[in-house]
Amino acid sequence: LSAGSGDIYQIARVYRDSESGRFHNPEFTQMELYVAYKDYNWMMDLVEEMVEKVAMDLHGKTEVQVGDNIINFKRPWKRITMFDAIKEYTGIDISSMNEDELRKVCADLHIHTETSMGKGKLIDEIFGEKVEPLLIQPTFITDYPVEMSPLAKKHRSKEGLVERFEAICNSKEICNAFSELNDPIDQRKRFEDQLELGKRGDDEAMMLDEDFLRSLEYGMPPTAGLGIGIDRLSMIMTNSPSIQDV
């Protein structure tokens, strides 16, 4: 992007060392998209326009039968922040809670936690247990806590949050996107925070990447980035019960 390559995308096979299941496969197909001088708001518009078109091209309408549900991809999709979604479905406002308070909320909600989990992981567990399963119609979950998003840009007006969204549909994430973090000083601090989580036993914490930081120091324009899982989207569009089927 910094070399003037403009808008770029890649459709590729991706491997992640994870357990397989009905909605997870260690090897999957993903489209990654980066657009310079755009942000996550622009990317949300693109995603709902793109997926609506896929539904129309395949089915001739925006409504798709998925299991027992009729999912309607007609724009605009619902947009709600991570904290507001948790409050809507649990009745609990966690927006100003510290790690100990979040751990107590998890205990009250009978959500299993590990001592290695930091603030971001605890919030993710609450969302994954109490909100995500209830999101059937396509929904953008926005404005994640900074602890959950080490590569996303700080929110322009909300302290402690980042400009990130995930599209949830049929109780599963189908894409992840954000305004890319292009500040090398902020990015180094995020990596250092991740290293501390790694010391606590978080096996998903990121490593400090000096080559990546050096690239940011050379220069990167404001950019919107997206990763969309083609396999999960295919499951929904073809009413397939297992990711292995597609």
Side-chain angles (χ1 to χ4, degrees):
L1 289 166
S2 59
S5 57
D7 309 343
I8 57 174
Y9 76 93
Q10 173 176 296
I11 296 175
R13 297 292 284 174
V14 181
Y15 179 83
R16 290 181 183 166
D17 188 10
S18 60
E19 295 181 4
S20 62
R22 195 158 69 88
F23 295 98
H24 294 85
N25 203 50
E27 186 179 20
F28 58 99
T29 307
Q30 178 171 264
M31 181 181 76
E32 289 202 33
L33 171 69
Y34 295 90
V35 184
Y37 305 110
K38 301 296 183 184
D39 63 10
Y40 78 141
N41 292 307
W42 181 91
M43 192 65 81
M44 272 187 273
D45 292 340
L46 177 72
V47 167
E48 62 183 7
E49 179 182 358
M50 176 171 57
V51 177
E52 182 188 62
K53 176 172 170 52
V54 170
M56 287 295 298
D57 287 354
L58 285 174
H59 301 285
K61 57 184 178 180
T62 59
E63 294 179 334
V64 178
Q65 180 82 41
V66 183
D68 295 329
N69 300 310
I70 300 290
I71 296 178
N72 193 345
F73 291 101
K74 183 175 178 59
R75 293 177 285 166
W77 299 356
K78 180 179 179 179
R79 302 183 184 190
I80 184 171
T81 69
M82 167 71 77
F83 286 148
D84 285 347
I86 290 173
K87 185 176 181 180
E88 179 176 318
Y89 286 95
T90 69
I92 303 171
D93 183 358
I94 67 167
S95 59
S96 59
M97 290 186 179
N98 60 30
E99 184 176 318
D100 290 337
E101 291 168 328
L102 288 168
R103 202 173 292 279
K104 183 180 185 305
V105 168
C106 288
D108 292 343
L109 295 174
H110 307 291
I111 297 172
H112 175 73
T113 62
E114 303 284 349
T115 56
S116 62
M117 292 179 177
K119 186 176 176 181
K121 271 287 184 69
L122 294 171
I123 294 171
D124 195 28
E125 288 297 311
I126 295 170
F127 178 80
E129 289 280 339
K130 299 299 180 179
V131 181
E132 191 172 45
L134 304 177
L135 299 177
I136 303 302
Q137 299 302 320
T139 303
F140 288 120
I141 301 296
T142 71
D143 300 350
Y144 283 54
V146 66
E147 294 87 356
M148 295 178 66
S149 311
L151 298 174
K153 197 167 191 171
K154 286 182 179 178
H155 198 283
R156 66 197 72 185
S157 62
K158 299 176 182 177
E159 187 68 28
L161 303 182
V162 296
E163 296 191 350
R164 174 187 175 187
F165 73 82
E166 288 183 308
I168 311 294
C169 176
N170 198 39
S171 304
K172 294 296 176 185
E173 170 214 336
I174 58 173
C175 78
N176 182 31
F178 33 81
S179 302
E180 300 285 340
L181 176 53
N182 61 339
D183 179 345
I185 297 173
D186 190 3
Q187 184 65 80
R188 182 176 293 277
K189 175 65 168 60
R190 306 274 193 98
F191 280 151
E192 290 170 349
D193 291 342
Q194 288 288 299
L195 290 177
E196 290 303 312
L197 288 173
K199 291 176 183 177
R200 289 177 54 175
D202 185 347
D203 56 6
E204 294 183 357
M206 299 184 72
M207 301 296 291
L208 194 149
D209 188 335
E210 289 289 356
D211 290 334
F212 182 65
L213 290 170
R214 189 177 302 111
S215 297
L216 291 185
E217 288 168 359
Y218 290 146
M220 175 181 171
T223 300
L226 166 74
I228 183 164
I230 294 177
D231 306 72
R232 280 197 183 167
L233 187 60
S234 298
M235 284 178 67
I236 292 169
M237 292 296 176
T238 60
N239 196 14
S240 299
S242 171
I243 199 166
Q244 284 76 24
D245 293 339
V246 297

